[in-house]
Coordinates of all heavy atoms in Angstrom, one line a residue:
M1 N 133.9 138.6 119.6 CA 132.7 138.0 120.3 C 132.8 136.5 120.0 O 132.9 136.1 118.9 CB 131.5 138.6 119.7 CG 130.2 138.1 120.3 SD 128.8 139.1 120.0 CE 128.3 138.6 118.4
P2 N 132.6 135.7 121.1 CA 132.6 134.3 120.9 C 131.4 133.7 120.2 O 130.4 134.3 120.2 CB 132.7 133.7 122.4 CG 132.1 134.8 123.2 CD 132.4 136.1 122.5
D3 N 131.6 132.6 119.5 CA 130.5 132.0 118.8 C 129.9 131.0 119.8 O 130.5 130.1 120.3 CB 131.1 131.2 117.6 CG 130.9 131.9 116.3 OD1 130.2 132.9 116.3 OD2 131.5 131.4 115.3
Y4 N 128.6 131.2 120.0 CA 127.8 130.3 120.9 C 127.0 129.4 120.0 O 126.6 129.7 118.9 CB 126.9 131.1 121.8 CG 127.7 132.0 122.7 CD1 127.7 133.4 122.5 CD2 128.3 131.5 123.8 CE1 128.4 134.2 123.4 CE2 129.0 132.3 124.7 CZ 129.1 133.6 124.5 OH 129.7 134.4 125.4
P5 N 126.8 128.2 120.5 CA 125.9 127.2 119.8 C 124.5 127.8 119.7 O 124.1 128.6 120.6 CB 126.0 125.9 120.6 CG 126.4 126.4 122.0 CD 127.2 127.6 121.8
P6 N 123.8 127.4 118.7 CA 122.4 127.9 118.6 C 121.6 127.4 119.8 O 121.8 126.4 120.3 CB 121.9 127.3 117.3 CG 122.9 126.2 116.9 CD 124.1 126.5 117.6
I7 N 120.7 128.3 120.1 CA 119.8 127.9 121.3 C 118.6 127.1 120.7 O 118.0 127.4 119.7 CB 119.2 129.2 121.9 CG1 120.4 130.0 122.5 CG2 118.2 128.8 123.0 CD1 120.0 131.4 123.0
D8 N 118.3 126.0 121.4 CA 117.2 125.2 121.0 C 116.0 125.6 121.9 O 115.8 125.2 123.0 CB 117.5 123.7 121.3 CG 116.3 122.8 120.9 OD1 115.3 123.3 120.4 OD2 116.4 121.6 121.2
Y9 N 115.2 126.6 121.3 CA 114.1 127.2 122.0 C 113.0 126.2 122.3 O 112.2 126.4 123.2 CB 113.6 128.4 121.3 CG 114.5 129.5 121.2 CD1 115.2 129.8 120.0 CD2 114.8 130.3 122.3 CE1 116.1 130.8 119.9 CE2 115.7 131.3 122.2 CZ 116.3 131.6 121.1 OH 117.2 132.6 121.0
F10 N 112.9 125.1 121.5 CA 111.8 124.2 121.7 C 112.3 122.8 122.2 O 111.6 121.8 122.0 CB 111.1 124.0 120.3 CG 110.6 125.3 119.8 CD1 111.2 125.9 118.6 CD2 109.6 126.0 120.4 CE1 110.7 127.1 118.1 CE2 109.1 127.2 119.9 CZ 109.7 127.7 118.8
R11 N 113.4 122.8 123.0 CA 113.8 121.6 123.6 C 112.7 121.0 124.5 O 112.0 121.8 125.2 CB 115.1 121.9 124.5 CG 115.7 120.6 125.0 CD 116.9 121.0 125.9 NE 116.5 121.8 127.1 CZ 117.1 122.9 127.4 NH1 118.0 123.4 126.8 NH2 116.6 123.6 128.5
D12 N 112.5 119.8 124.4 CA 111.5 119.0 125.1 C 110.1 119.3 124.7 O 109.1 118.9 125.3 CB 111.6 119.3 126.7 CG 113.0 118.8 127.2 OD1 113.5 117.8 126.7 OD2 113.5 119.4 128.2
W13 N 109.9 120.1 123.7 CA 108.5 120.3 123.1 C 108.3 119.2 122.1 O 109.2 118.8 121.4 CB 108.4 121.6 122.4 CG 108.4 122.9 123.3 CD1 109.1 123.0 124.5 CD2 107.8 124.1 123.0 NE1 108.9 124.3 124.9 CE2 108.1 125.0 124.0 CE3 107.0 124.6 121.9 CZ2 107.6 126.3 124.1 CZ3 106.6 125.9 122.0 CH2 106.9 126.7 123.0
P14 N 107.1 118.7 122.0 CA 106.8 117.7 120.9 C 106.9 118.3 119.6 O 106.7 119.5 119.4 CB 105.3 117.3 121.2 CG 104.7 118.4 122.0 CD 105.9 119.1 122.7
P15 N 107.3 117.5 118.6 CA 107.4 118.1 117.2 C 106.0 118.4 116.7 O 105.0 117.9 117.1 CB 108.1 116.9 116.5 CG 107.7 115.7 117.2 CD 107.6 116.1 118.7
I16 N 106.0 119.3 115.7 CA 104.8 119.7 115.0 C 104.6 118.5 114.0 O 105.5 118.2 113.3 CB 104.9 121.0 114.3 CG1 105.1 122.1 115.3 CG2 103.7 121.3 113.4 CD1 105.4 123.5 114.7
E17 N 103.4 118.0 114.0 CA 103.1 116.9 113.1 C 103.0 117.5 111.6 O 102.4 118.5 111.4 CB 101.8 116.3 113.4 CG 101.8 115.5 114.8 CD 100.6 114.6 115.0 OE1 100.2 113.9 114.0 OE2 100.1 114.6 116.1
T18 N 103.6 116.7 110.7 CA 103.5 117.0 109.3 C 103.1 115.7 108.6 O 103.7 114.7 108.8 CB 104.8 117.6 108.7 OG1 105.9 116.6 109.0 CG2 105.2 118.9 109.3
H19 N 102.1 115.8 107.8 CA 101.6 114.6 107.1 C 101.1 115.0 105.7 O 100.8 116.2 105.5 CB 100.4 114.0 107.9 CG 100.8 113.5 109.3 ND1 101.5 112.4 109.5 CD2 100.5 114.0 110.5 CE1 101.7 112.3 110.8 NE2 101.1 113.3 111.4
T20 N 100.9 114.1 104.9 CA 100.3 114.3 103.6 C 98.8 114.4 103.8 O 98.3 114.0 104.9 CB 100.5 113.2 102.6 OG1 99.9 112.0 103.1 CG2 102.0 113.0 102.4
D21 N 98.1 114.9 102.9 CA 96.6 115.0 103.0 C 96.0 113.7 103.3 O 95.1 113.5 104.1 CB 96.0 115.6 101.7 CG 96.2 117.1 101.7 OD1 96.6 117.8 102.7 OD2 96.0 117.7 100.6
A22 N 96.5 112.6 102.6 CA 96.0 111.3 102.8 C 96.2 110.8 104.2 O 95.4 110.2 104.8 CB 96.6 110.3 101.8
E23 N 97.4 111.1 104.7 CA 97.8 110.7 106.1 C 96.9 111.4 107.1 O 96.4 110.8 108.1 CB 99.2 111.0 106.4 CG 100.2 110.0 105.6 CD 101.6 110.4 105.7 OE1 101.9 111.7 105.9 OE2 102.5 109.6 105.7
W24 N 96.6 112.7 106.9 CA 95.7 113.5 107.8 C 94.4 112.8 107.8 O 93.7 112.7 108.8 CB 95.7 114.9 107.4 CG 96.8 115.8 107.8 CD1 97.7 116.5 107.0 CD2 97.2 116.1 109.1 NE1 98.6 117.2 107.8 CE2 98.4 116.9 109.1 CE3 96.8 115.7 110.4 CZ2 99.0 117.4 110.2 CZ3 97.5 116.1 111.5 CH2 98.6 117.0 111.4
R25 N 93.8 112.5 106.6 CA 92.5 111.8 106.5 C 92.5 110.5 107.3 O 91.5 110.2 107.9 CB 92.1 111.6 105.1 CG 91.4 112.8 104.5 CD 90.7 112.5 103.1 NE 91.6 112.2 102.1 CZ 92.4 113.1 101.4 NH1 92.4 114.3 101.7 NH2 93.2 112.6 100.5
D26 N 93.6 109.7 107.1 CA 93.6 108.4 107.8 C 93.6 108.7 109.4 O 93.0 108.0 110.1 CB 94.9 107.7 107.4 CG 94.8 107.1 106.0 OD1 93.7 107.1 105.4 OD2 95.9 106.8 105.5
I27 N 94.4 109.7 109.8 CA 94.4 110.0 111.2 C 93.0 110.4 111.7 O 92.5 110.0 112.7 CB 95.5 111.0 111.5 CG1 96.9 110.5 111.3 CG2 95.4 111.5 113.0 CD1 98.0 111.5 111.2
A28 N 92.4 111.3 110.9 CA 91.1 111.8 111.2 C 90.1 110.7 111.3 O 89.2 110.6 112.2 CB 90.6 112.9 110.2
R29 N 90.2 109.8 110.3 CA 89.2 108.6 110.3 C 89.4 107.8 111.5 O 88.4 107.4 112.2 CB 89.5 107.8 109.0 CG 88.5 106.7 108.8 CD 88.7 106.0 107.4 NE 88.5 106.9 106.3 CZ 89.5 107.4 105.5 NH1 90.8 107.1 105.7 NH2 89.3 108.3 104.5
A30 N 90.6 107.6 112.0 CA 90.9 106.8 113.2 C 90.3 107.5 114.4 O 89.8 106.8 115.3 CB 92.4 106.5 113.3
V31 N 90.5 108.8 114.5 CA 90.0 109.6 115.6 C 88.5 109.5 115.7 O 87.9 109.2 116.7 CB 90.4 111.0 115.5 CG1 89.7 111.9 116.6 CG2 91.9 111.1 115.7
V32 N 87.8 109.6 114.5 CA 86.4 109.6 114.4 C 85.9 108.2 114.8 O 84.9 108.0 115.6 CB 85.8 110.0 113.1 CG1 84.4 109.7 112.9 CG2 86.1 111.5 112.8
E33 N 86.5 107.2 114.3 CA 86.1 105.8 114.6 C 86.3 105.5 116.1 O 85.4 104.8 116.6 CB 86.9 104.8 113.8 CG 86.6 104.8 112.3 CD 87.5 103.9 111.5 OE1 88.4 103.3 112.0 OE2 87.3 103.9 110.2
S34 N 87.3 106.0 116.7 CA 87.5 105.7 118.1 C 86.7 106.6 119.0 O 86.6 106.3 120.2 CB 89.0 105.8 118.5 OG 89.4 107.2 118.4
S35 N 86.0 107.6 118.4 CA 85.2 108.5 119.3 C 83.9 107.9 119.7 O 83.3 108.3 120.6 CB 85.0 109.8 118.5 OG 84.0 109.6 117.4
G36 N 83.5 106.9 118.9 CA 82.2 106.3 119.2 C 81.0 107.0 118.6 O 79.8 106.7 118.8
V37 N 81.3 108.0 117.8 CA 80.2 108.7 117.1 C 80.1 108.1 115.7 O 81.0 108.3 114.9 CB 80.6 110.3 117.0 CG1 79.5 111.0 116.2 CG2 80.8 110.8 118.4
P38 N 79.1 107.4 115.4 CA 79.0 106.6 114.2 C 79.0 107.5 112.9 O 79.4 107.1 111.9 CB 77.7 105.8 114.3 CG 76.9 106.4 115.4 CD 77.9 107.1 116.3
D39 N 78.4 108.7 113.0 CA 78.3 109.5 111.8 C 79.3 110.7 111.9 O 79.0 111.8 111.4 CB 76.9 110.0 111.6 CG 76.4 110.8 112.8 OD1 77.0 110.8 113.9 OD2 75.3 111.5 112.7
G40 N 80.4 110.5 112.6 CA 81.4 111.6 112.7 C 81.9 112.1 111.4 O 82.0 111.4 110.4
D41 N 82.2 113.4 111.3 CA 82.6 114.0 110.0 C 84.1 114.0 109.9 O 84.8 114.7 110.5 CB 82.1 115.5 110.0 CG 82.3 116.2 108.7 OD1 83.1 115.7 107.9 OD2 81.7 117.2 108.5
V42 N 84.6 113.0 109.1 CA 86.0 112.8 108.9 C 86.6 114.0 108.2 O 87.7 114.4 108.6 CB 86.3 111.6 108.0 CG1 87.7 111.4 107.7 CG2 85.8 110.3 108.8
E43 N 86.0 114.7 107.3 CA 86.6 115.9 106.6 C 86.7 117.0 107.6 O 87.7 117.7 107.6 CB 85.7 116.3 105.4 CG 85.8 115.3 104.2 CD 87.2 115.0 103.8 OE1 88.0 115.9 103.6 OE2 87.5 113.8 103.7
A44 N 85.7 117.2 108.5 CA 85.8 118.3 109.5 C 87.0 118.0 110.4 O 87.8 118.9 110.8 CB 84.5 118.4 110.2
M45 N 87.1 116.7 110.8 CA 88.2 116.3 111.7 C 89.6 116.5 111.0 O 90.5 117.0 111.6 CB 88.1 114.9 112.2 CG 89.2 114.4 113.2 SD 89.4 115.5 114.6 CE 87.9 115.0 115.5
T46 N 89.6 116.2 109.8 CA 90.9 116.4 109.0 C 91.3 117.8 109.0 O 92.4 118.2 109.2 CB 90.7 115.9 107.5 OG1 90.3 114.5 107.6 CG2 91.9 116.1 106.7
L47 N 90.3 118.7 108.7 CA 90.6 120.1 108.7 C 91.0 120.6 110.0 O 91.9 121.4 110.1 CB 89.3 120.9 108.2 CG 89.4 122.4 108.1 CD1 90.5 122.8 107.2 CD2 88.1 123.0 107.7
A48 N 90.4 120.1 111.1 CA 90.7 120.6 112.4 C 92.2 120.1 112.8 O 92.9 120.9 113.4 CB 89.7 120.0 113.5
L49 N 92.5 118.9 112.4 CA 93.9 118.5 112.7 C 94.9 119.3 112.0 O 96.0 119.7 112.5 CB 94.0 117.0 112.4 CG 93.2 116.0 113.3 CD1 93.2 114.6 112.7 CD2 93.8 116.0 114.7
K50 N 94.7 119.5 110.7 CA 95.6 120.2 109.8 C 95.7 121.7 110.3 O 96.8 122.3 110.4 CB 95.2 120.2 108.4 CG 95.4 118.9 107.7 CD 94.7 118.8 106.4 CE 95.4 119.7 105.3 NZ 94.8 119.5 104.0
S51 N 94.6 122.3 110.7 CA 94.6 123.7 111.2 C 95.3 123.8 112.5 O 96.0 124.8 112.7 CB 93.1 124.1 111.3 OG 92.5 124.2 110.1
S52 N 95.2 122.8 113.4 CA 95.9 122.8 114.6 C 97.4 122.8 114.4 O 98.1 123.6 115.1 CB 95.4 121.6 115.5 OG 96.1 121.6 116.7
A53 N 97.8 121.9 113.5 CA 99.3 121.9 113.3 C 99.8 123.2 112.6 O 100.9 123.7 113.0 CB 99.6 120.7 112.4
A54 N 99.0 123.7 111.7 CA 99.4 125.0 111.1 C 99.5 126.1 112.1 O 100.4 127.0 112.1 CB 98.5 125.4 110.0
R55 N 98.5 126.2 113.0 CA 98.5 127.2 114.1 C 99.7 127.0 115.0 O 100.3 128.0 115.4 CB 97.2 127.0 114.9 CG 96.7 128.3 115.5 CD 95.3 128.2 116.1 NE 94.8 126.9 116.5 CZ 93.9 126.1 115.9 NH1 93.4 126.5 114.7 NH2 93.6 125.0 116.4
E56 N 100.0 125.8 115.4 CA 101.2 125.6 116.2 C 102.5 126.1 115.5 O 103.3 126.7 116.1 CB 101.3 124.1 116.6 CG 102.5 123.8 117.4 CD 102.5 124.3 118.8 OE1 101.4 124.6 119.3 OE2 103.6 124.4 119.4
K57 N 102.6 125.8 114.2 CA 103.7 126.2 113.4 C 103.8 127.8 113.4 O 104.9 128.3 113.6 CB 103.6 125.7 112.0 CG 104.7 126.2 111.0 CD 105.9 125.4 111.0 CE 106.8 125.8 109.9 NZ 107.6 127.0 110.2
S58 N 102.7 128.4 113.2 CA 102.6 129.9 113.2 C 103.1 130.5 114.6 O 103.8 131.4 114.6 CB 101.2 130.3 112.8 OG 101.1 131.7 112.9
I59 N 102.6 129.9 115.6 CA 102.9 130.3 117.0 C 104.4 130.2 117.2 O 105.1 131.1 117.7 CB 102.1 129.6 118.0 CG1 100.7 130.0 118.0 CG2 102.7 129.8 119.4 CD1 99.7 129.1 118.8
R60 N 105.0 129.1 116.8 CA 106.4 128.8 117.0 C 107.3 129.8 116.1 O 108.3 130.3 116.6 CB 106.8 127.4 116.7 CG 106.3 126.5 117.8 CD 106.8 125.1 117.6 NE 106.1 124.1 118.5 CZ 106.5 122.9 118.7 NH1 107.6 122.4 118.1 NH2 105.8 122.1 119.5
D61 N 106.8 130.0 114.9 CA 107.5 131.0 114.1 C 107.5 132.4 114.7 O 108.5 133.1 114.6 CB 106.9 131.0 112.7 CG 107.1 129.8 111.8 OD1 108.0 129.0 112.2 OD2 106.4 129.6 110.8
E62 N 106.4 132.8 115.2 CA 106.3 134.1 115.9 C 107.2 134.2 117.1 O 107.9 135.2 117.3 CB 104.9 134.4 116.3 CG 104.6 135.8 116.8 CD 103.2 136.1 117.1 OE1 102.3 135.4 116.5 OE2 102.9 136.9 118.0
F63 N 107.3 133.1 117.8 CA 108.1 133.0 119.0 C 109.6 133.2 118.6 O 110.3 133.9 119.2 CB 107.9 131.6 119.6 CG 108.6 131.4 120.9 CD1 108.1 131.7 122.1 CD2 109.8 130.7 120.9 CE1 108.8 131.5 123.3 CE2 110.5 130.4 122.1 CZ 110.0 130.8 123.3
L64 N 110.0 132.5 117.5 CA 111.4 132.6 117.0 C 111.7 134.0 116.5 O 112.8 134.5 116.7 CB 111.6 131.6 115.9 CG 111.7 130.1 116.4 CD1 111.8 129.2 115.2 CD2 112.9 129.9 117.4
R65 N 110.7 134.7 115.8 CA 111.0 136.0 115.4 C 111.2 137.0 116.6 O 112.1 137.8 116.5 CB 109.8 136.5 114.5 CG 109.8 136.0 113.1 CD 108.8 136.7 112.3 NE 107.4 136.6 112.7 CZ 106.6 135.5 112.4 NH1 107.1 134.5 111.6 NH2 105.4 135.4 112.9
G66 N 110.4 136.8 117.6 CA 110.6 137.6 118.8 C 112.0 137.4 119.5 O 112.7 138.4 119.8
W67 N 112.4 136.2 119.6 CA 113.7 135.9 120.2 C 114.8 136.4 119.3 O 115.8 136.9 119.8 CB 113.9 134.4 120.5 CG 113.4 134.1 121.9 CD1 112.3 133.3 122.2 CD2 113.9 134.5 123.1 NE1 112.1 133.3 123.5 CE2 113.1 133.9 124.1 CE3 115.0 135.2 123.5 CZ2 113.4 134.2 125.5 CZ3 115.3 135.4 124.8 CH2 114.5 134.9 125.8
S68 N 114.6 136.3 118.0 CA 115.7 136.8 117.1 C 115.8 138.3 117.3 O 117.0 138.8 117.3 CB 115.2 136.4 115.6 OG 116.2 136.9 114.7
A69 N 114.7 139.0 117.4 CA 114.8 140.5 117.6 C 115.5 140.8 118.9 O 116.4 141.7 119.0 CB 113.4 141.1 117.6
I70 N 115.2 140.0 119.9 CA 115.9 140.2 121.2 C 117.4 140.0 121.1 O 118.2 140.8 121.6 CB 115.3 139.3 122.3 CG1 113.8 139.8 122.6 CG2 116.1 139.3 123.6 CD1 113.0 138.8 123.5
E71 N 117.8 138.9 120.5 CA 119.2 138.6 120.3 C 119.9 139.6 119.5 O 121.0 140.0 119.8 CB 119.3 137.2 119.6 CG 119.0 136.1 120.6 CD 119.1 134.7 119.9 OE1 119.5 134.6 118.7 OE2 118.8 133.7 120.6
E72 N 119.3 140.1 118.4 CA 119.9 141.1 117.6 C 120.2 142.4 118.4 O 121.2 143.0 118.3 CB 119.0 141.4 116.4 CG 119.1 140.4 115.3 CD 118.2 140.7 114.1 OE1 117.9 141.9 113.9 OE2 117.7 139.8 113.5
E73 N 119.2 142.8 119.2 CA 119.3 144.0 120.0 C 120.4 143.8 121.1 O 121.2 144.7 121.3 CB 118.0 144.3 120.7 CG 118.1 145.6 121.5 CD 116.7 146.0 122.0 OE1 115.7 145.6 121.5 OE2 116.7 146.7 123.1
A74 N 120.5 142.6 121.7 CA 121.5 142.3 122.7 C 122.9 142.3 122.0 O 123.8 142.9 122.6 CB 121.3 140.9 123.3
H75 N 123.1 141.8 120.9 CA 124.4 141.8 120.2 C 124.8 143.2 119.8 O 125.9 143.6 120.0 CB 124.3 140.9 118.9 CG 124.3 139.4 119.2 ND1 125.3 138.8 119.9 CD2 123.4 138.5 118.9 CE1 125.0 137.5 120.0 NE2 123.9 137.3 119.4
A76 N 123.8 144.0 119.4 CA 124.1 145.4 119.1 C 124.5 146.2 120.3 O 125.4 147.0 120.3 CB 122.8 146.1 118.4
M77 N 123.9 145.9 121.4 CA 124.2 146.5 122.7 C 125.6 146.1 123.1 O 126.4 147.0 123.6 CB 123.2 146.2 123.8 CG 121.9 146.8 123.6 SD 120.6 146.3 124.8 CE 121.3 147.0 126.3
N78 N 126.0 144.9 122.9 CA 127.3 144.4 123.3 C 128.4 145.0 122.4 O 129.5 145.2 122.8 CB 127.4 142.9 123.1 CG 126.8 142.2 124.3 OD1 126.6 142.7 125.4 ND2 126.4 140.9 124.1
R79 N 128.0 145.4 121.2 CA 129.0 146.0 120.3 C 129.0 147.6 120.5 O 129.7 148.3 119.8 CB 128.6 145.7 118.8 CG 128.9 144.3 118.4 CD 128.7 144.0 117.0 NE 127.4 144.4 116.5 CZ 126.4 143.5 116.4 NH1 126.5 142.3 116.8 NH2 125.2 143.9 115.9
G80 N 128.1 148.0 121.4 CA 128.0 149.5 121.7 C 127.3 150.3 120.6 O 127.6 151.5 120.5
K81 N 126.4 149.6 119.9 CA 125.7 150.4 118.8 C 124.3 150.8 119.2 O 123.6 151.3 118.4 CB 125.6 149.5 117.6 CG 127.0 149.2 117.0 CD 126.9 148.4 115.7 CE 128.3 148.2 115.1 NZ 128.2 147.5 113.9
V82 N 124.0 150.6 120.5 CA 122.6 151.1 120.9 C 122.8 152.0 122.0 O 123.7 152.0 122.8 CB 121.7 149.9 121.3 CG1 120.5 150.4 121.9 CG2 121.5 149.0 120.1

């Protein structure tokens, strides 16, 4: 069976943001400041940004697990084991 290069399932997708807690707070502070809401909750925005990135990571991981299962089944079929 020929070796194929790995498939880039997320080609052209933006990367998932990864930051330290301090960097997330700085980003949240900038978002709140630019929102025009003078008493915006920076901690809530920080949590929302971090949660969004974690959710995106989880979705992509699930996507990869699904494709991995499909590829394994396809390879098994090609070898005549299914």
Side-chain angles (χ1 to χ4, degrees):
M1 182 163 79
D3 262 347
Y4 295 105
I7 298 171
D8 181 3
Y9 293 107
F10 303 112
R11 185 182 63 233
D12 299 328
W13 289 30
I16 297 172
E17 291 191 46
T18 55
H19 301 286
T20 65
D21 287 344
E23 290 170 331
W24 280 119
R25 273 192 295 284
D26 290 343
I27 294 167
R29 190 173 296 107
V31 169
V32 169
E33 287 173 2
S34 69
S35 72
V37 178
D39 60 345
D41 189 343
V42 173
E43 290 307 312
M45 180 58 72
T46 301
L47 180 60
L49 291 170
K50 288 170 66 174
S51 296
S52 178
R55 206 169 29 255
E56 178 68 21
K57 172 90 171 79
S58 175
I59 289 168
R60 290 187 190 192
D61 288 347
E62 185 175 336
F63 185 85
L64 288 175
R65 281 191 299 275
W67 271 110
S68 177
I70 290 168
E71 287 178 2
E72 285 178 27
E73 186 173 332
H75 288 301
M77 290 172 68
N78 282 338
R79 291 187 302 270
K81 295 185 178 181
V82 173

